[in-house]
Amino acid sequence: MRELVHEAARRARVAATSLAVTPRGIKDAALLAAADALVEATPQLLAANAKDVDAARADGTPEHVIDRLALDADRVEAFAQGLRDVAALPDPVGEVVRGSTLANGLRMQQVRVPIGVIGMIYEGRPNVTADAAGICLKAGNAVLLRGSSSAKHSNAAIVDVMRAAIEKAGLPADAVQAIPADDRLSATELMQARGLVDLVIPRGGAGLIQAVVEQSTVPVIETGVGNCHVYVDADADLDMALDIVMNAKTQRTSVCNAAESLLVHRDVADAFVPRVVAALRDAGVTIHGDPSFVAADPAVLPVTDEDHAAEFLALEISAAVVDSLDAAVEHIRTFSSHHTEAIVTSSLASAQRFAASVDAAAVMVNASTRFTDGGELGFGAEIGISTQKLHARGPMGLPEMTTTTYVVTGEGHTR
Amino acid sequence: MRELVHEAARRARVAATSLAVTPRGIKDAALLAAADALVEATPQLLAANAKDVDAARADGTPEHVIDRLALDADRVEAFAQGLRDVAALPDPVGEVVRGSTLANGLRMQQVRVPIGVIGMIYEGRPNVTADAAGICLKAGNAVLLRGSSSAKHSNAAIVDVMRAAIEKAGLPADAVQAIPADDRLSATELMQARGLVDLVIPRGGAGLIQAVVEQSTVPVIETGVGNCHVYVDADADLDMALDIVMNAKTQRTSVCNAAESLLVHRDVADAFVPRVVAALRDAGVTIHGDPSFVAADPAVLPVTDEDHAAEFLALEISAAVVDSLDAAVEHIRTFSSHHTEAIVTSSLASAQRFAASVDAAAVMVNASTRFTDGGELGFGAEIGISTQKLHARGPMGLPEMTTTTYVVTGEGHTR
C-alpha cells in the first residue's frame, strides 16, 4: 500500500509541476469540460452510486446517512455547476501579494504559487470529490482523493470522468487521482508521505480529523469541528437575540457553523431565558441548562461540562447564564473549538472586546453563526473551514490553496 | 517536567489573552524599557555568559562555537537595538487584511490577531532569546523560550531582565518565560503540548529541525536549512555570474542563504567552468564537481549525490554542468531544501520559467542568494526563514507571527 500511495504521489508531483506553469485559460477550459462531462455521464454516475447505496442499505446504514450518499441528476448538475463556478473565479496563482523596489534597486515581489500535491481525506458525500478536485486544480495543485469506502464506487466514477475530461483539455490526468478507500492503511500512508505530499486536509467528523492530526507527518489543516456559541450581552436587543439563537441553532443542525451553546448575561436573564427556552422547546430543541434555565422549564436537563463541550449537530443546545462579558469569554475559551462565536449586543465596546478576546476563526456581531461559510462571505468555492491558526483560518477558498515565493530581481546584486 | 512545561504554557496563555488586547503604545514602551534594561544589566549578563563560556571551554568546545556563544558589551547593545527596531515597526495586530460589505449588508473584515502561545526551540547564540521575545511580544504573543543548555546562564539572565522590565512597563511578565534547558525532555514536552502551545519554531541546525518536525504534535514552522543553488544559464553575463557565485558562496559561509551548489548550462561551460573553478580555488573553496569540473582542475573532487544534497556551511561547493534550464530545474527539485535558488540569465523567458518551476521560498534573478533575509528585503526584524509552504514561506517577520479572525457585523442578520 505504501508503494501504491507513494507512486500516486510521485505521479501527482509530475502533474503539479506542469500545472504550476499552466495558464488560467487552460485550467478553466478543463474545469468547464469536466463539468460538462459529469453531466453527460450522469447515467454512469448514478449506476455507480446505486452500488454504494445498495451496499450501505445492506449494512443497515440509517436513511439520513444514505440520503447524504445518494446521487440524483440534480445533485450531479449541482456539482458540475460548482466546477463552473470555480472556473469563473480569479486565478490565485501569480497574484502579487506584496512588491517593492528596495533601496539598492532590487525589485522584490511576493507571488502566489501552487502548494503542490494536496491529499484530501474525507467522509460521506460524493460531491466533495468534484468540489475538492476543482478547487485544487484551479489553484494549480494536484490532488490525491481518499474518500470513504462507503462512497467508493461513486468517487471512482467521478474521478474517472474528470480525469478523462481534463486530459482531453490539455491537463495531466494525474492531477486528479483517487486513492483506494477499501484499506484503512491507504489513509495512513497518505498522511505520512512527508516530502511527497505537501498538505493533507481532513474533512469529516471530529474522529476523522483528530486521527489525521495525531498521525500525520505531512502538514495538516484542520477543518470543521464547530462548538459555536451565541452570547446574549446585557445590552442586547432581545428580539434580535431570539432570532439569531433560533436561526443559529435550528436553520440547519448538521453543519459546523450551527450554534451548540447559548450564554446569557445575568442582567437580561430574567427577561430572555424564559422566552428563549419556550422558543427552543417549540422548535423541538433539547436544552442542557444551568439552574437558571432549569428554573424556567422543568424539561431543561441539568448541564454538564461534557454538554458544554459537545458539538451536538442536532436539535440540542447547552445553555448558561454568565455574570459578565469577560465570564462569557472565559467560558468560550474553555469550551470552544475556535470556529465561530457570536455576540448579540448594542454596545460597541462589548462587540470590540468580545471580538478581540474569544480566539475564534470568525466572530459574528449581531449575526447568526451560520454566516461562517465561503459562499456566504463571498469567497466563492470553499474546500473546508479551518479551525486552526496557521496558514488559513476560517473558510478556505482558492488563495488558501496557494503558498508564495519571493521573486527578487537584480542586475548582478551582491552583498 | 510535563507539569512544569504545561504550567508555564498555561501561564503564558493567560499572559497572551491580556497581550491580545494591549495597545501598541504599551507594547512598544515595554520593548524600549527592556532594551534599556538589558544595556543597564550588561555586567550581570556578561557574568552569566562567562559561566556558559567557561563551561563550554572546559568541555573542549571549538573556539568558533564559543565565539558565537560569547557576549560582550557591543553584542548586548546590538540585541537591545534589535528590540528598539522592533518597537519602531508597525503593529501587525488589528491590520485589516481584507474587508467588504456583502450584498445583504453584512460588514466583513479579516483582521490580524496574535497567534497566542509560541514555543521557540533553538541552539547557540543568546541573541535569539532577546530577538524572539521581542518579535513575539510585538505581535501580541506570549513566548516560551527553550534555548540550548550551553547558553543556559546567558539565556536565563536575559529573560530575567526582560521579564522585570516588561512587567514594570505594564505587560504580564509571563509573556516571556524560559523553559529549563538542562533536560532534553523539556523540549519534547514543549513540542507535544498540543492545545496549550499554538506554534513551535525550531531554529538551529538540520538535526534540531528534523527532530522537532518529526516529534512535534504542535504545528511547526520549519526554518533555515538551505541547500541553495546558483544556476548559470546559457544567456548569462558571465562576469555577473562569477560575482554572484563568489558572493553567494564566500561572503559568509555559515548561513542558510549561502550557496552550496553551482549549476552551469552546457553552452557556457567551456567559457565559464575554468574561470569559476580558478576563482573558487583562489578563495579556498573545495569543489565537488562532475567530470566537466574535474577536467578543469585535477584538484576538483568527483561529486556524489550526497554532495549535491549537502548543506556544507563551509568553503565547499558541489558543481555540475546541465544540458538545459529544465535539467537545472529538475536537479534543483531533486536536491534542494526549498530555500533560495538563483538564476543568472539575460533571458526573460528563462527567468520566468525558472521562478515558476523551482519550488523555493525565494528565487533570485541576477542577484546573490544572500539577499533572502528579512533585513535585506526590508521587513525589519526576522524570527527565522521558513522553508515550508504553509503559513509562512521565506523570511518571517511580524505579520507571520499573527493569524486572522473574520469579524462579521450585522443588524440581526439570519439565514
Side-chain angles (χ1 to χ4, degrees):
Chain A
M1 185 54 73
R2 172 165 304 171
E3 206 26 61
L4 187 149
V5 171
H6 284 196
E7 184 50 36
R10 278 188 286 263
R11 286 202 311 270
R13 176 72 62 197
V14 174
T17 305
S18 132
L19 263 182
V21 291
T22 300
R24 171 173 180 178
I26 296 176
K27 293 189 287 191
D28 288 353
L31 290 167
L32 296 175
D36 291 346
L38 287 169
V39 172
E40 206 168 298
T42 301
Q44 296 97 289
L45 299 184
L46 299 190
N49 183 249
K51 291 190 205 169
D52 290 331
V53 168
D54 289 350
R57 215 164 252 136
D59 282 355
T61 307
E63 276 306 313
H64 73 274
V65 176
I66 287 179
D67 176 58
R68 290 161 42 145
L69 175 62
L71 292 181
D72 56 25
D74 283 350
R75 286 185 174 182
V76 172
E77 173 54 35
F79 55 70
Q81 188 55 42
L83 293 176
R84 293 185 196 110
D85 293 346
V86 170
L89 289 170
D91 188 342
V93 176
E95 186 194 345
V96 177
V97 177
R98 69 177 149 181
S100 59
T101 301
L102 308 178
N104 59 8
L106 277 178
R107 293 178 301 287
M108 183 271 286
Q109 291 195 320
Q110 186 181 15
V111 183
R112 285 201 188 281
V113 296
I115 288 175
V117 177
I118 296 176
M120 288 287 305
I121 300 179
Y122 56 103
E123 288 171 341
R125 300 170 198 247
N127 68 307
V128 175
T129 305
D131 286 357
I135 291 173
C136 288
L137 271 186
K138 176 73 182 234
N141 301 293
V143 66
L144 299 171
L145 296 154
R146 206 289 191 179
S148 73
S149 62
S150 65
K152 63 182 175 182
H153 295 104
S154 315
N155 289 338
I158 292 167
V159 168
D160 283 349
V161 170
M162 290 187 74
R163 283 170 59 91
I166 66 169
E167 189 162 35
K168 212 168 149 191
L171 295 190
D174 284 337
V176 179
Q177 295 180 65
I179 297 294
D182 269 333
D183 188 337
R184 217 165 229 291
L185 266 182
S186 68
T188 310
E189 293 298 347
L190 184 58
M191 63 181 99
Q192 297 186 346
R194 192 176 176 89
L196 297 171
V197 176
D198 295 304
L199 166 65
V200 163
I201 302 175
R203 202 167 147 178
L208 170 76
I209 290 163
Q210 192 58 28
V212 173
V213 164
E214 281 172 6
Q215 294 168 38
S216 187
T217 57
V218 171
V220 175
I221 297 181
E222 287 179 66
T223 65
V225 174
N227 178 14
C228 304
H229 295 74
V230 177
Y231 165 61
V232 180
D233 193 33
D235 282 323
D237 173 328
L238 298 184
D239 293 336
M240 184 193 290
L242 192 67
D243 281 353
I244 287 175
V245 170
M246 296 309 294
N247 180 264
K249 181 63 261 181
T250 67
Q251 194 246 350
R252 194 163 163 209
T253 56
S254 64
V255 288
C256 59
N257 58 18
E260 306 290 6
S261 296
L262 167 65
L263 299 173
V264 178
H265 192 288
R266 188 165 301 285
D267 289 356
V268 290
D270 286 349
F272 189 66
V273 169
R275 284 183 68 189
V276 75
V277 165
L280 287 167
R281 188 188 49 209
D282 290 351
V285 177
T286 302
I287 306 173
H288 304 263
D290 73 358
S292 303
F293 280 82
V294 174
D297 183 341
V300 171
L301 304 169
V303 71
T304 64
D305 276 1
E306 286 65 44
D307 297 326
H308 282 312
E311 187 189 25
F312 296 111
L313 299 175
L315 287 172
E316 213 167 338
I317 195 166
S318 67
V321 169
V322 292
D323 289 333
S324 64
L325 182 141
D326 284 348
V329 167
E330 180 63 29
H331 178 103
I332 290 169
R333 291 184 74 106
T334 305
F335 294 107
S336 96
S337 62
H338 311 291
H339 189 299
T340 300
E341 314 301 352
I343 180 171
V344 187
T345 188
S346 52
S347 156
L348 183 58
S350 289
Q352 288 174 340
R353 187 167 179 85
F354 186 84
S357 307
V358 287
D359 197 17
V363 174
M364 298 289 153
V365 178
N366 297 331
S368 172
T369 55
R370 294 275 291 113
F371 285 105
T372 303
D373 175 274
E376 291 293 325
L377 295 182
F379 306 159
E382 170 189 297
I383 203 167
I385 295 178
S386 164
T387 54
Q388 66 174 30
K389 294 183 181 177
L390 295 193
H391 187 72
R393 201 179 195 204
M396 294 189 290
L398 292 173
E400 287 74 20
M401 293 300 101
T402 64
T403 180
T404 62
T405 292
Y406 287 101
V407 179
V408 181
T409 307
E411 290 88 32
H413 284 65
T414 57
R415 281 178 73 179
Chain B
M1 185 54 73
R2 173 167 302 173
E3 204 28 61
L4 187 150
V5 171
H6 284 196
E7 183 51 35
R10 278 188 287 264
R11 288 203 310 272
R13 176 72 62 197
V14 174
T17 305
S18 132
L19 263 183
V21 292
T22 300
R24 171 174 180 177
I26 296 176
K27 293 188 287 190
D28 288 352
L31 289 168
L32 296 175
D36 291 346
L38 287 170
V39 173
E40 208 168 297
T42 301
Q44 296 97 288
L45 299 184
L46 299 191
N49 182 249
K51 290 191 206 171
D52 290 331
V53 168
D54 290 349
R57 215 164 252 136
D59 282 356
T61 308
E63 277 305 313
H64 74 272
V65 177
I66 287 180
D67 176 59
R68 289 160 42 145
L69 175 61
L71 292 181
D72 57 26
D74 284 350
R75 286 186 173 181
V76 172
E77 173 54 36
F79 56 69
Q81 187 55 42
L83 293 176
R84 294 185 197 110
D85 293 345
V86 170
L89 290 171
D91 189 344
V93 176
E95 186 195 344
V96 177
V97 177
R98 70 176 148 182
S100 59
T101 301
L102 307 178
N104 59 8
L106 278 178
R107 292 177 300 285
M108 183 271 286
Q109 292 195 319
Q110 185 181 15
V111 183
R112 285 201 187 281
V113 296
I115 288 174
V117 177
I118 296 177
M120 288 287 304
I121 300 179
Y122 55 104
E123 289 170 342
R125 301 170 196 248
N127 68 306
V128 175
T129 305
D131 286 357
I135 291 174
C136 288
L137 272 185
K138 176 74 182 236
N141 301 293
V143 66
L144 300 172
L145 297 154
R146 206 289 192 179
S148 72
S149 63
S150 66
K152 65 182 174 181
H153 296 103
S154 314
N155 289 338
I158 293 167
V159 167
D160 283 350
V161 170
M162 290 188 74
R163 284 170 59 92
I166 66 169
E167 189 163 37
K168 213 167 147 191
L171 296 190
D174 284 336
V176 179
Q177 295 179 66
I179 298 294
D182 269 333
D183 189 338
R184 218 165 228 291
L185 266 182
S186 69
T188 310
E189 292 298 349
L190 185 57
M191 63 182 98
Q192 297 187 345
R194 193 176 174 89
L196 297 171
V197 176
D198 296 303
L199 166 64
V200 164
I201 302 176
R203 201 168 149 179
L208 171 76
I209 290 163
Q210 193 56 27
V212 172
V213 163
E214 281 173 6
Q215 294 167 37
S216 187
T217 57
V218 171
V220 174
I221 298 182
E222 287 179 66
T223 65
V225 175
N227 179 13
C228 304
H229 295 73
V230 177
Y231 165 60
V232 180
D233 192 34
D235 282 324
D237 173 327
L238 297 184
D239 293 336
M240 184 194 288
L242 192 68
D243 281 353
I244 287 174
V245 171
M246 296 310 294
N247 181 263
K249 180 64 261 182
T250 68
Q251 194 246 351
R252 194 164 163 207
T253 56
S254 64
V255 288
C256 59
N257 58 18
E260 306 289 8
S261 297
L262 167 65
L263 299 173
V264 178
H265 192 287
R266 189 165 300 285
D267 289 356
V268 290
D270 286 348
F272 189 67
V273 169
R275 284 182 68 187
V276 75
V277 165
L280 287 167
R281 188 187 49 208
D282 290 350
V285 177
T286 302
I287 306 173
H288 305 264
D290 72 358
S292 303
F293 280 82
V294 174
D297 183 342
V300 170
L301 304 169
V303 71
T304 64
D305 276 0
E306 287 65 44
D307 297 326
H308 283 312
E311 187 190 24
F312 297 111
L313 299 175
L315 287 172
E316 214 167 337
I317 196 166
S318 68
V321 169
V322 292
D323 289 333
S324 64
L325 182 141
D326 285 348
V329 167
E330 180 62 29
H331 179 102
I332 291 169
R333 292 184 74 105
T334 304
F335 294 107
S336 97
S337 62
H338 311 289
H339 189 298
T340 300
E341 314 301 353
I343 180 172
V344 187
T345 188
S346 52
S347 156
L348 183 59
S350 290
Q352 288 175 339
R353 187 165 179 88
F354 186 84
S357 307
V358 288
D359 197 17
V363 174
M364 297 290 153
V365 178
N366 297 332
S368 171
T369 56
R370 294 276 291 114
F371 285 106
T372 303
D373 174 276
E376 291 293 325
L377 295 183
F379 305 161
E382 170 189 295
I383 204 167
I385 296 177
S386 164
T387 53
Q388 67 174 31
K389 294 183 181 177
L390 295 192
H391 188 70
R393 201 179 195 205
M396 294 188 290
L398 292 172
E400 287 74 21
M401 293 298 101
T402 65
T403 179
T404 62
T405 291
Y406 287 100
V407 179
V408 182
T409 308
E411 290 89 33
H413 284 64
T414 56
R415 281 178 74 181

